Amino acid sequence: MGMHDQLRRRSVGAPAARSLLLTMLGEYVLPRGEAVWQETLVSALASLGYTHQAARQALARSVRGGWLQTERQGRRARVRLSPTTSELLQSGARRIYSFGESWEWNGRWLVLVVRVPEERRDVRHQLRTRLAWAGLGSLGGGVWLTPHMEREPELAAAIHDEPAAEATSFVATVGSLGSPSTIAAAGWDLDGVRDHYAAFIADFRAVRPTSPEACFKLQTLLVHAWRKFPFLDPDLPPGLLPANWPRRRAHDLFAARHASWTPGARAYFEELETGRFAPAARAA
């Protein structure tokens, strides 16, 4: 499995220490553009409820996996993003912070017909996962589709990465049989996506942090929860969605909370970097 797939798996995974570490790297380390003390990331994870041991294990695995690079300075270590991780986090940030904005659809579908030999079930499973991550819906029989025409290069790369797979792409509009909304209902689990949005709104609607550390905790959890939606939600245009679709409410809540909590969250992270805060380890 490539590093890109590992990072994408972490982005939608349960909030294990390494998964939240990835969120922190994108939210606090990437914008700084420079290395941070290893103790800063350990203390940051401790603020989120992890033991120092669990935090150090997450960091060590991230270094071994090529996410991070370290440089010794006496008895201490500075940690910086590897070039590949920096590039992937920048790409992820663009997707995360632009996701949920309105867009106009011209009624055309990008249709992908995928063929994988029957005996290569491992390839079929991995390819299904990548296509679903890219927001495609499945109509069965190897037929996948999306209203996002601009994703064709990403899909071509996914196919080229699997030598056992072949694919043909088409640009299509719906004819006299069927309708775009019935296609959407068949191709994607929209009820499941709605449930995720409802949980996100319930989790962050009423909370009000009262300290920089609380801002840091909630901001990290907010971004960690929101970053899943570009992979969970195919970002269909309004005309294909059920009534009262919650994406706009969730997007506006994310934008408002993120703007409100950013100053306190980043101030707390900087305090950790200068050593003025040292939160005690807690039970994982």
Side-chain angles (χ1 to χ4, degrees):
M1 182 187 302
M3 185 187 295
H4 199 167
D5 287 331
Q6 292 179 36
L7 291 177
R8 284 191 293 188
R9 284 185 182 277
R10 288 292 172 186
S11 74
V12 297
R18 199 173 174 205
S19 183
L20 275 172
L21 173 61
L22 181 62
T23 296
M24 291 196 310
L25 294 177
E27 184 68 13
Y28 307 107
V29 179
L30 181 66
R32 297 178 91 253
E34 59 184 31
V36 297
W37 292 113
Q38 178 175 294
E39 294 95 324
T40 297
L41 297 177
V42 171
S43 296
L45 284 169
S47 293
L48 295 167
Y50 293 96
T51 63
H52 283 98
Q53 180 181 4
R56 292 186 185 282
Q57 287 175 345
L59 278 168
R61 291 180 62 193
S62 298
V63 171
R64 289 197 300 270
W67 295 13
L68 297 170
Q69 299 172 339
T70 59
E71 53 189 46
R72 301 298 303 184
Q73 292 192 10
R75 295 184 177 182
R76 305 178 71 189
R78 300 284 283 175
V79 181
R80 68 174 65 252
L81 302 176
S82 70
T84 300
T85 303
S86 179
E87 180 182 343
L88 291 175
L89 288 175
Q90 288 173 356
S91 174
R94 287 192 295 270
R95 191 168 183 180
I96 290 168
Y97 294 114
S98 66
F99 181 78
E101 297 176 356
S102 298
W103 62 285
E104 293 293 329
W105 183 47
N106 60 10
R108 298 195 301 167
W109 298 88
L110 176 63
V111 181
L112 201 64
V113 180
V114 181
R115 298 172 298 282
V116 179
E118 182 63 32
E119 64 273 13
R120 297 303 306 272
R121 295 184 179 181
D122 56 329
V123 173
R124 183 179 289 108
H125 173 74
Q126 186 166 343
L127 198 53
R128 285 179 63 89
T129 300
R130 289 194 66 175
L131 294 177
W133 264 332
L136 272 71
S138 173
L139 297 183
V143 178
W144 295 78
L145 76 169
T146 175
H148 288 276
M149 310 297 296
E150 74 281 0
R151 293 184 184 170
E152 189 168 19
E154 177 183 354
L155 305 179
I159 298 297
H160 292 155
D161 285 347
E162 298 292 351
E166 296 180 358
T168 304
S169 61
F170 300 88
V171 175
T173 57
V174 177
S176 61
L177 300 177
S179 68
S181 59
T182 57
I183 290 173
W188 291 274
D189 178 15
L190 296 180
D191 287 339
V193 177
R194 183 192 291 275
D195 291 343
H196 281 287
Y197 276 126
F200 177 86
I201 293 169
D203 286 345
F204 296 102
R205 179 175 50 200
V207 288
R208 297 291 186 274
T210 57
S211 69
E213 182 178 9
C215 285
F216 172 80
K217 291 180 184 178
L218 286 172
Q219 180 83 315
T220 305
L221 295 175
L222 177 83
V223 174
H224 190 74
W226 184 254
R227 68 180 298 157
K228 300 177 183 181
F229 285 109
F231 303 108
L232 294 172
D233 183 348
D235 194 20
L236 301 179
L240 300 182
L241 295 168
N244 299 316
W245 188 246
R247 181 171 60 214
R248 171 53 56 183
R249 279 180 285 136
H251 172 270
D252 291 348
L253 176 66
F254 169 77
R257 294 291 184 268
H258 189 269
S260 176
W261 297 343
T262 289
R266 292 192 174 176
Y268 180 76
F269 189 83
E270 292 303 318
E271 293 285 1
L272 293 179
E273 176 69 3
T274 60
R276 293 178 60 188
F277 286 163
R282 301 164 192 174

